[in-house]
Structures are given as C-alpha cells and as structure tokens.
Amino acid sequence: MIPRPAHRLSPLGLLVLAGWGLSACTSTETRAPEPVPVATPAPRPAPAPTFSGPVLNGDGSCSGPVPTGATAIEPGIGECDLVRLKGKPPTDVLVGEGRSGREVQVLYTEPGAKELYFFVNNRLDRIVK
C-alpha cells in the first residue's frame, strides 16, 4: 500500500500556488535605466582683449609715449591720441572693466558744454556732446 500524504491540496489551491509562482517570472515592473554621467568640457575663459599703444591712467596721464598718428578726433583713435589732440588734460577719467574688456570714459568740460568720450580696449567708440 502506498502511503497517502496527510495533507492534500485542492485543485484550486494548486492553481493559486502555480499562479503565484509564475507571477514572479512574468513581472511587468520596469525601472528606468540609471543615468550615465556625461562629461562636459569646462568652458574656456574668454581671451583677454588685446590693444596696442599707451592708455590713460585714472589721473588723465598716459602710461607711455604719446602716439602722433591720429590727426582728428574720430572713432578708432586711442585714449592718449584724444588727450594730445585736445591739447589739455581731461576734466575726469573713469577706467574700468566691462563685458568687452577695458572701458574708459573721458570727460572734457568746455565753457558752455561737456563732451564725454567712450573708449573700449583703447579705441574711441562713441562721443556724447
């Protein structure tokens, strides 16, 4: 005689047990892939602006020998060219750094008028009278 197991599963119990076991194999759970770090090159600093010739100091004096090339006050002349062409020191000079590099404002107060000269990298950019 074959011994019978003391506990017997019903067909419904076997079906539930089989379904549970198979559900682990057919799981639909998905995960997003891990992000892969992307190496980005470091931004390069902007090159320092270059300009030639002497420049004005904050007191209105030139940092070197005054050039003699410019013959008229017009856009593109250097800071010291302006002082030489005007024939007298400026009333005020503001020297600073801007987005484009060195920025200088030169003020001349004339009887009855003011003239303001704007330079970018030692080149006359515009005049406000």
Side-chain angles (χ1 to χ4, degrees), residues 13 20 53 61-62 64 68 70-71 90 92 96 105 110-111 113-114 123 125:
W20 179 74
S61 64
C62 285
T68 59
T71 58
D92 196 14
Q105 297 177 16
E110 307 282 338
K114 292 182 181 178
R123 294 290 164 241
D125 186 56

Side-chain angles (χ1 to χ4, degrees), residues 27-109:
S27 173
T28 59
E29 181 181 328
T30 60
R31 288 188 189 172
E34 293 290 325
V36 177
V38 177
T40 56
R44 292 183 180 177
T50 58
F51 46 87
S52 61
V55 293
L56 286 178
N57 298 314
D59 63 0
S61 64
C62 285
S63 65
V66 179
T68 59
T71 58
I73 298 173
E74 59 191 8
I77 67 170
E79 299 166 15
C80 292
D81 286 323
L82 173 69
V83 175
R84 179 183 57 82
L85 292 169
K86 291 296 271 183
K88 62 182 181 178
T91 306
D92 196 14
V93 177
L94 295 173
V95 179
E97 292 294 319
R99 291 184 192 178
S100 301
R102 177 184 166 89
E103 293 184 3
V104 177
Q105 297 177 16
V106 180
L107 172 67
Y108 275 95
T109 304

